[in-house]
Amino acid sequence: MDNPVPPRAAEPRPRRRDRHGRGMRGPVAPPQVPLSASRGEVFADLVQDSVERLERRWPQLADIEFLVLEVPRLDPARDEGWADETVPLGGTIPAHEGRPSRVVVYRRPVEIRTKGRDERAALVHEVVVEQVAELLGLTPETVDPRYGED
């Protein structure tokens, strides 16, 4: 019996299925779903939401940079420590040498002090309000009339 189809060459092919025949595993969630966002990205979104709320009332906040850092640094060269032995949740960096003023929110200390997303969003907003108030030389209640309300 003649076979008109020649046999395939024995060449390595990429595997399309695992040894159980189930196929390659894909991502748990598609990229557009919030589940795929990292904790850092979600935290940065909370800070951005807070800033946008305040910018409606204070348009000069467009000139301020808002940063998210993991943890605050101690600078042993300056011999600066935290006097009250608590880790700061945020800080300000005044404008100098052509750089704008900056507000920094520290992600890990805020996350450790909160349990859920709503509680975290409220604490992030309080930290942003306090730091903006410090930069503008105002009280937090003046920056956001709802400051301190639970």
Side-chain angles (χ1 to χ4, degrees):
M1 204 172 187
D2 288 326
N3 192 355
V5 179
R8 289 189 192 175
E11 60 186 50
R13 293 182 298 164
R15 288 183 92 161
R16 299 201 190 284
R17 300 201 175 270
D18 65 6
R19 66 186 184 145
H20 299 288
R22 287 190 280 254
M24 300 294 284
R25 290 188 178 190
V28 174
Q32 65 271 16
V33 177
L35 178 66
S36 66
S38 70
R39 287 186 302 178
E41 291 169 340
V42 170
F43 191 86
D45 288 343
L46 292 176
V47 172
Q48 186 62 35
D49 291 345
S50 180
V51 170
E52 288 172 359
R53 266 177 57 187
L54 293 176
E55 278 182 339
R56 291 184 213 127
R57 183 175 170 130
W58 302 94
Q60 63 265 41
L61 294 183
D63 299 332
I64 298 175
E65 285 185 9
F66 291 86
L67 305 171
V68 174
L69 296 178
E70 291 290 314
V71 293
R73 285 183 260 150
L74 279 176
D75 191 358
R78 291 188 199 171
D79 197 25
E80 287 183 13
W82 301 312
D84 55 0
E85 297 298 322
T86 60
V87 177
L89 303 177
T92 58
I93 302 169
H96 70 287
E97 298 178 13
R99 288 186 171 173
S101 300
R102 296 177 180 173
V103 169
V104 181
V105 181
Y106 301 114
R107 182 174 73 89
R108 294 295 296 147
V110 171
E111 286 179 339
I112 289 170
R113 286 171 177 78
T114 57
K115 291 183 181 175
R117 187 185 190 323
D118 294 337
E119 190 178 333
R120 188 168 301 126
L123 184 56
V124 164
H125 186 67
E126 283 185 17
V127 171
V128 170
V129 168
E130 290 168 359
Q131 301 309 316
V132 166
E134 184 177 326
L135 272 179
L136 299 178
L138 302 169
T139 63
E141 292 81 12
T142 305
V143 173
D144 184 9
R146 294 183 297 180
Y147 173 79
E149 293 178 7
D150 290 329

